Amino acid sequence: MDQADIVIVGAGHGGAQCAIALRQNGFAGTIMVVGREPEYPYERPPLSKDYFAREKAFERLLIRPPTFWAEKDVNFLLGTEVTAVDPADKQLTLSDGRSLGYGKLVWATGGDPRRLSCAGADLAGVHAVRTRADCDALMAELDGGAKRITVIGGGYIGLEAAAVLSKMALDVTLLEALPRVLARVAGEELSAFYQQEHRRHGVDLRLGVAVDSLEGKDGRVIGVKLADGEVLAADAVIVGIGIVPAVGPLLQAGAGGVNGVDVDAHCRTSLPDIYAIGDCAAFACDYAGRQIMRVESVQNANDMATCVAKAICGDEQPYRAFPWFWSNQFDLKLQTAGINVGFDQAIIRGDPSDRSFSIIYLKQGRILALDCVNRVKDYVQGRKLVEAGAMLEPHLLADVDLPLKELV
Ligand code: FAD
């Protein structure tokens, strides 16, 4: 096939859901999904959770079995990268030198792990956690006897990986450059809670530390040198410092964007017949005061994908899906609803020392977002308050004897 009605670039969460939703909405034309990884689309979150902990086999991560794609007549070019886009001729250049024409293009490429810029960043034993291959390489290090693991980056992925490793009785150090973990996404109370949990589970958590370089021997990492000169011995290093949106070919083709590719309210880029969805797409988010942002979550990738599929099938609606997210660390299930950008008040509901509590974020009295730790009821009931942008007395929100549903 050298031409398809719809070409989806990226066989991850957004790409898979877009193909599924196209067929669900009656699209009868040809669909081709081009994916750089060799696998059919799989769920990424377990890579730092149950797959990494070896509690789930890879086959259980597949978003759909290969037979599903064949039945739905969704074609795949796997292990293949799109290297250039020609929007005038509607042609893609592929990494194997071939061309592929499209009627409409959906760009769903996510991002590549941000790399350290210091000396030693390329040494063997330095790992990202973004793909199955990354995770398998890391697991092979553990099988090979790596015992001292340094995790660089205290975001969700670094924390989840550290939590799994700490259960394996390894010597785990986590380094965060900022004064607290999760600083980009959570309030201070949640950061403080997770810091305490990690330390309680034996993770050597160091905050406000800068990495100077990685030290190596015979091409392999053996240590992490901090800015103050201290060297931490390490058999393997995990780098979890965010992603760089994989939008090079689109920007080179003339699409607008600084942090990812910009899309309008219908997920359209500035190039004709080219949409972008998921981690790589920057949009004005209704749930963050219309701030232009990228949202890195399964919810956002899936809902943008469905929005685009519907638009292609003639049902064009602006993208306004409600944001939600989760993270699993130790026996703690965090569920987040809304986006807390610009909050000026955080109300704690319950006692963090019980390991079951919620944080409600307000801006000028209006509820913006919710973080719930081991408190599913608050999450389910509180979502409605976030969606409504409800204004309620803080003492009512803090009262654990008052179910949030009674406040809706
Ligand atoms: P992806 O799923 O990353 O898919 C993009 C695909 O495009 C990749 O396979 C990539 O190789 C491919 N690609 C890139 N460039 C090209 C190209 N030029 N040509 C062809 N293919 C290309 N989210 C949550 O909501 N909850 C969680 O608990 C959670 N945990 C996570 C844990 C980990 C370890 C990771 C890595 C992510 C986690 N996320 C979580 C985030 C979530 O997985 C992402 O937001 C989601 O995968 C985004 O989907 P996407 O389709 O935009 O990109």
Side-chain angles (χ1 to χ4, degrees):
M1 191 188 277
D2 56 8
Q3 164 82 31
D5 297 322
I6 307 294
V7 174
I8 299 169
V9 185
H13 279 276
Q17 176 58 24
C18 188
I20 293 168
L22 279 167
R23 291 298 186 227
Q24 279 171 345
N25 285 275
F27 183 77
T30 47
I31 304 175
M32 174 63 85
V33 185
V34 186
R36 188 167 59 188
E37 294 179 68
E39 296 89 0
Y40 279 100
Y42 60 88
E43 291 171 31
R44 234 166 264 290
L47 297 181
S48 52
K49 306 180 182 73
D50 28 10
Y51 180 69
F52 188 35
R54 301 176 204 243
E55 289 162 2
K56 217 176 196 181
F58 179 75
E59 288 59 42
R60 291 184 55 209
L61 269 47
L62 288 174
I63 290 173
R64 292 288 188 280
T67 48
F68 171 89
W69 300 115
E71 279 161 20
K72 298 290 175 195
D73 199 15
V74 175
N75 303 285
F76 282 84
L77 270 177
L78 295 173
T80 307
E81 186 171 342
V82 170
T83 55
V85 180
D86 177 348
D89 284 347
K90 293 192 163 183
Q91 290 288 324
L92 305 176
T93 306
L94 307 180
S95 47
D96 59 12
R98 285 185 295 163
S99 295
L100 177 66
Y102 62 85
K104 289 189 192 321
L105 183 67
V106 183
W107 196 263
T109 51
D112 298 313
R114 189 178 296 283
R115 296 161 58 85
L116 291 172
S117 54
C118 63
D122 294 331
L123 288 165
V126 180
H127 299 270
V129 190
R130 181 77 194 175
T131 63
R132 178 201 189 179
D134 292 337
C135 200
D136 286 354
L138 192 51
M139 285 150 80
E141 295 270 3
L142 303 179
D143 291 340
K147 291 269 176 286
R148 296 164 302 183
I149 320 290
T150 297
V151 181
I152 300 177
Y156 283 121
I157 291 175
L159 288 172
E160 288 180 349
V164 171
L165 290 165
S166 74
K167 280 202 242 167
M168 299 176 186
L170 298 166
D171 181 359
V172 186
T173 302
L174 191 142
L175 307 176
E176 167 55 54
L178 295 173
R180 61 184 176 95
V181 300
L182 300 175
R184 216 167 43 88
V185 289
E188 285 179 19
E189 298 79 2
L190 198 74
S191 302
F193 173 75
Y194 278 106
Q195 285 161 198
Q196 196 180 14
E197 282 294 325
H198 277 263
R199 287 186 169 131
R200 206 166 65 77
H201 284 86
V203 175
D204 177 6
L205 177 65
R206 310 224 188 161
L207 303 171
V209 289
V211 171
D212 173 82
S213 54
L214 303 188
E215 302 208 325
K217 191 176 170 211
D218 302 329
R220 255 206 83 79
V221 73
I222 55 163
V224 179
K225 184 174 179 191
L226 305 181
D228 67 4
E230 182 181 359
V231 178
L232 308 169
D235 303 321
V237 171
I238 298 175
V239 181
I241 55 172
I243 61 166
V244 179
V247 292
L250 260 196
L251 298 190
Q252 276 152 26
V258 180
N259 172 22
V261 62
D262 290 342
V263 296
D264 67 9
H266 300 277
C267 303
R268 291 178 296 221
T269 69
S270 57
L271 297 173
D273 289 325
I274 303 184
Y275 298 87
I277 59 174
D279 283 10
C280 69
F283 65 104
C285 181
D286 281 339
Y287 291 89
R290 300 209 44 83
Q291 185 174 314
I292 307 286
M293 62 196 303
R294 292 185 304 101
V295 175
E296 295 175 18
S297 73
V298 169
Q299 168 278 317
N300 180 62
N302 283 343
D303 288 340
M304 279 187 145
T306 303
C307 176
V308 165
K310 285 187 168 175
I312 290 172
C313 294
D315 178 14
E316 194 172 69
Q317 305 277 343
Y319 177 64
R320 288 223 178 94
F322 182 72
W324 54 267
F325 184 83
W326 78 97
S327 170
N328 300 340
Q329 294 167 52
F330 311 111
D331 56 345
L332 301 164
K333 184 168 181 69
L334 168 71
Q335 293 169 291
T336 289
I339 296 179
N340 65 20
V341 166
F343 76 91
D344 54 28
Q345 196 178 0
I347 294 163
I348 315 273
R349 187 177 156 83
D351 183 352
S353 63
D354 294 339
R355 305 176 83 242
S356 167
F357 66 102
S358 298
I359 304 176
I360 302 169
Y361 299 95
L362 310 181
K363 185 177 180 183
Q364 293 169 354
R366 200 172 286 285
I367 301 179
L368 278 187
L370 200 63
D371 282 334
C372 306
V373 176
N374 286 350
R375 251 184 124 84
V376 179
K377 268 192 192 149
D378 277 2
Y379 172 73
V380 173
Q381 299 173 5
R383 271 180 70 123
K384 297 190 177 71
L385 296 175
V386 182
E387 276 178 85
M391 293 183 90
L392 290 159
E393 289 295 327
H395 73 273
L396 296 177
L397 292 169
D399 184 351
V400 282
D401 295 326
L402 196 58
L404 290 177
K405 70 176 175 199
E406 290 184 15
L407 300 174
V408 174

